[in-house]
Amino acid sequence: MNTDVEFHIRQNYPWNKLPANVKQSLGNSQREYEKYVLLYSIRHQLRFRNNLVRHVRKDERKYYEELLKYSRDHLMLYPYHLSDIMVKGLRVTPFSYYIGIMEDIMNSEKSYDSLPNFTAADCLRLLGIGRNQYIDLMNQCRSSKKFFRRKSARDLLPAKPVEISVEPWWVAQTGYITEDDIRICSTAEKKAIDKMIDSGPQLAGSMEYNVVLSLYNRGFIYLDVPISDDSCISVPPLEGFVMNRVQGDYFETLLYKIFVSIDEQTNVAELANVLEIDLDLVKNAVSMYCRLGFAVKKGTVFNSEQLHPTWKNAPSVNRLKSTMDPQKMLLSWEQGSPVMEGGSSATDTDTTSLEDQDTASVSSLSIPAAPTKRIAFLFDSTLTAFLMMGNLSPNLKSHAVTMFEVGKLSDETLDSFLAELEKVESTAEGEAQRYFDHALTLKNTILFLRYNKELTQDQGPDIPNIGFPLDMLRCESLLGLDQATCSRVLNKNYKLLVSMAPLSNEIRPISSCTPQHIGPAIPEVSSIWFKLYLYHVTGQGPPSLLLSKGSRLRKLPDIFQVYDRLLITSWGHDPGVVPTSNVLTMLNDALTHSAVLIQGHGMHGHGETVHIPFPFDEEDLKAEFSYSNMCTHKSLQKLKEHVDLKHQCGYITMLNANNRHRRRPSDSTECRDTFFQGDTHLGGGLDTNGSTESFELVTEENNGDGSKVKTDTLNAEDEWVPLELCFGMPLFSSELNRKVCRKIASHKLCCNESLQELLHSSRKLSLKVLSFVQSFQDTVQPSDMDTGVSNPLSQPPAESGVPLPALNLLFKDGQLKEWSGRAPPPLDISALQKDQPT
């Protein structure tokens, strides 16, 4: 549907008030517009009254029946905001709605994964049917077909809801109740119904707890979860969330947008203003979080004097208390171990007032009032995948699910997260070692950035220096917001953004001038283009050939013939090291769907890589070049003139392709190549033995004190060239991470003066890189369109905004220039060989 048409439907524009251009897009047909109005209203579960649909469809009941059918067919969440119509008018309760959905998918023999995430979570809450229960039901259903007495799916589904968690501040309203229903009610239930009929809706907490549950299970009442303009909520680690699939309907999209944007300090009205979304929609979404138990309403939500005595021991939706450690811990970066803060605290068996329960949070540290703004640590889905894999810690998975699905771990929940990371062991076997290393390095990074007084020494005399709180944000979730909304959310809540390094090439990094960003300034800085820019300005780098999509190689260019291993990066994917012997087929397959960068990596097995953290220390810059002190390398001295390495942090990877002195790659653990995530289309970075061990193991020797004995040949400065530069905080190596943390503190990168310099230098670098990219795009000739070069506009979603190469580019002998090695006639092999560079 046209976005202009949607906007005017949302604003209730009748046909006669539509602008001429919108009418034209509809073929000047009023009937077409009315069809769109009905479709939009049903898809967005709009109320009949006060909306444009009332002028299009006269029968209100029929409209709601169509809406309900559409929602059920498309497995959408029950429209709780229309409960008064659905329950009182159509007699369809949430329980009967989800029973219908379950019956449909069972009869169609669909898998449990066909249920969208939030719908599956609500089914689990009301029906008690999760993945295992569904598989069991399907097995029973299939086995019954083999006998004469066949059971239908409906016979196997539960007859009444499971016991749900109800909060005392929820509001009970009467549903559709007949005289026959009243006759089967107990005296207490009749009394409760009479009170609701006579006095209107009642707070659930003012009624007898068992009566509320009994009436709800029979469908005699329904429960509203009221959210006011000034309501604030907190999101604890997710429990009961089902990770199936994302459907993309309007409400699910809204739920994910609000998940990553919400915080405990921002009320609902402010959030709606920041997101520029209708206030009622935001209230519906927040109400749904609280109903599903994914969020907790903050503040005094119910007067304990009004609370019915039967509620004292009722289970609360707030499941966070059960996941808390008995004692709250403050973890110290300096000591690296938990220290008790303020003596003992509440245990899980506390039965304090409900106000205390609702405001209870694992963040109850003895810390003064936090500053209004925070530091945001940006990560990608690779990190959440590592935390979910392997049994790192008993309760770590719920935090990892929260990081992935909510897209955010707020400072208030980081104490329980750190407590789980504290339980992770430091050693593991084989592939699992990577997961353990990332978890431990992440813990150290959080401890360093969070409430670190070293980072905020210039706060001013009137402001207590306690450091900044820390939120963790998933890049992909932020990218779900449009750019203007993302900027408003970040500027409202954060003083500084810090990215993990390296971010996956499969995502687009967050671009931000304010708040300042220690990480890639723009997406191009995290793309293949920046590698070429690095080689261009320094005049040094490995032989590199960037081939545009649609190109085809008849043979491997001569410059790569001397190499045993090549580093292959297909556009929008992470690099992988592959053997030269069988690379040509992989390259041509990859070139059919992507641009590809080919680089020389190692002449005798894998090349050796060393990671150099920056900013550089003054004493290191005064020393001579050596294996343990590469920051004085001549290429890096040139690089400092073009890229600000003083007010950013990260690492530069240096490559030595002539690695004769190293042991065989399969036996070596002395170097850790950054590129452990190979593109599956390009061999996944496997060596000839099918092992990834040689470039996956994280070790300390690369970045150590140079205690390993190196020969003069290996120490030669000319043998080392820059391979790549990554901005941000590395998580793959604990030693490298520790060095970067120390440099951030010693160079005062988080002080206001340094951040101001970072703002200017990031803008300058962005302009330089964009100009560099453009200089190699402007020279496209019309004849190039016949050579199989893709249109720069036809980009994969991951690299949206980063132009694809329109020319084949070669970096060789210190120069970057167009490569003319393509063969215009497909079968003219002699012409291809003639055009090959020597």
Side-chain angles (χ1 to χ4, degrees), residues 352-426:
T352 50
S353 69
L354 273 135
E355 301 99 291
D356 293 334
Q357 287 186 25
D358 285 325
T359 55
S361 169
V362 289
S363 62
S364 306
L365 300 173
S366 302
I367 289 177
T372 52
K373 293 205 173 184
R374 304 178 171 204
I375 295 173
F377 182 70
L378 306 178
F379 61 92
D380 62 28
S381 298
T382 309
L383 180 62
T384 59
F386 286 169
L387 295 179
M388 286 182 195
M389 288 181 184
N391 298 318
L392 300 180
S393 158
N395 298 315
L396 193 58
K397 190 172 181 180
S398 67
H399 291 282
V401 170
T402 308
M403 290 166 71
F404 184 81
E405 293 292 349
V406 176
K408 179 178 185 176
L409 269 190
S410 63
D411 184 78
E412 289 78 11
T413 58
L414 284 186
D415 291 299
S416 61
F417 183 51
L418 286 168
E420 290 304 321
L421 290 175
E422 190 73 20
K423 299 172 187 174
V424 176
E425 297 175 7
S426 57

Side-chain angles (χ1 to χ4, degrees), residues 28 681 743:
N28 291 310
H681 301 296
K743 287 172 182 286

Side-chain angles (χ1 to χ4, degrees), residues 629-668:
N629 182 35
M630 289 198 187
C631 62
T632 56
H633 193 281
K634 55 191 175 187
S635 64
L636 303 189
Q637 299 308 308
K638 282 186 188 176
L639 182 62
K640 286 195 300 179
E641 299 169 12
H642 299 274
V643 180
D644 179 11
L645 301 180
K646 285 185 179 179
H647 304 103
Q648 270 270 26
C649 76
Y651 64 91
I652 299 162
T653 304
M654 301 294 288
L655 170 69
N656 180 4
N658 189 18
N659 50 355
R660 284 188 296 266
H661 302 274
R662 292 185 57 218
R663 290 173 290 171
R664 285 183 35 160
S666 55
D667 300 323
S668 169

Side-chain angles (χ1 to χ4, degrees), residues 98-99 102 105-106 110-140 156-158 162 240-244:
Y98 289 125
I99 285 288
M102 278 292 177
I105 66 169
M106 286 177 71
K110 291 181 180 176
S111 73
Y112 183 75
D113 292 329
S114 62
L115 282 176
N117 294 342
F118 286 101
T119 305
D122 211 15
C123 285
L124 178 62
R125 181 180 73 96
L126 290 172
L127 312 182
I129 298 176
R131 190 179 306 277
N132 293 340
Q133 292 83 358
Y134 181 79
I135 292 169
D136 188 43
L137 286 171
M138 285 303 297
N139 288 338
Q140 290 182 47
L156 296 170
L157 291 167
V162 296
F241 193 89
V242 182
M243 294 178 73
N244 276 359

Side-chain angles (χ1 to χ4, degrees), residues 18 25 30 38 48 54 99 159 174-175 207 251-252 268 322 339 520 569 604 629 684 752 782 785 790:
L18 281 182
S25 70
Q30 183 174 352
L38 179 62
F48 186 83
R54 72 187 185 278
I99 285 288
T174 52
M207 301 162 65
F251 197 52
E252 182 187 66
V268 170
S322 63
V339 290
T569 313
H604 311 279
N629 182 35
N752 292 326
M785 300 309 292
S790 67

Side-chain angles (χ1 to χ4, degrees), residues 15-53:
W15 172 256
N16 56 8
K17 290 188 179 179
L18 281 182
N21 65 318
V22 177
K23 284 185 177 180
Q24 195 172 357
S25 70
L26 293 164
N28 291 310
S29 168
Q30 183 174 352
R31 181 171 289 182
E32 191 72 12
Y33 183 57
E34 289 178 351
K35 191 168 77 175
Y36 278 130
V37 169
L38 179 62
L39 183 61
Y40 180 88
S41 303
I42 287 174
R43 281 179 177 173
H44 288 73
Q45 299 177 327
L46 295 184
R47 192 172 284 274
F48 186 83
R49 292 174 189 172
N50 304 323
N51 278 300
L52 197 57
V53 70

